[in-house]
């Protein structure tokens, strides 16, 4: 028996001198993947709720974007994410004056299990 096997064996023995089978799942199973359809619905609902009849105000933009992001994240936790997975919600509010805006983000991505959902809301009252 090698030293490595002995160390693994002693670590895996509990108080009752029985071997414990440590089986940690690092990746979600195929049926536990992020549900983009439910996420998109949660995003659309929240954007409609908060932005439907609003006019852009630079003063209100920061607290409003924080509120929207928190509510979307809470809905995602309730509906389609298990506690062990992480999510990121990014909300950008701006006024339309004919110029375009591009927003980007970087992250480490696992093409087999990671995915994303996004939406945009354009208000007629801009």
């Amino acid at each position: 028996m090698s030293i490595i096997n002995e160390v693994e064996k002693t670590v895996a023995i509990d108080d009752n001198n029985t071997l414990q089978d440590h089986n940690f799942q690092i990746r979600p199973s195929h049926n536990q993947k992020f549900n983009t359809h439910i996420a998109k619905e949660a995003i659309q609902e929240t954007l409609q709720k908060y932005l439907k009849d609003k006019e852009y105000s630079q003063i209100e933009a920061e607290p409003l974007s924080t509120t929207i992001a928190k509510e979307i994240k809470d809905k995602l936790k309730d509906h389609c994410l298990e506690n062990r997975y992480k999510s990121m919600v990014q909300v950008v509010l701006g006024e339309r004056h004919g110029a375009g805006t591009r927003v980007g983000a970087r992250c480490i991505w696992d093409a087999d299990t990671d995915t994303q959902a996004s939406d945009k809301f354009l208000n007629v009252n801009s």
Side-chain angles (χ1 to χ4, degrees), residues 39 42-54 56 60-76 88-94 119-121 123:
I43 293 167
Q44 288 173 345
E45 270 180 28
T46 308
L47 292 178
Q48 276 288 344
K49 176 182 172 182
Y50 285 98
L51 302 176
K52 183 178 169 187
D53 297 321
K54 288 272 189 189
Y56 179 78
E60 293 178 16
E62 184 181 348
L64 183 59
S65 63
T66 303
T67 302
I68 291 170
K70 183 179 179 338
E71 185 162 325
I72 291 171
K73 193 167 187 175
D74 290 344
K75 283 183 180 183
L76 292 176
M88 181 186 86
V89 177
Q90 181 177 17
V91 177
V92 177
L93 298 177
D119 199 14
K120 67 179 180 179
F121 180 87
N123 196 340

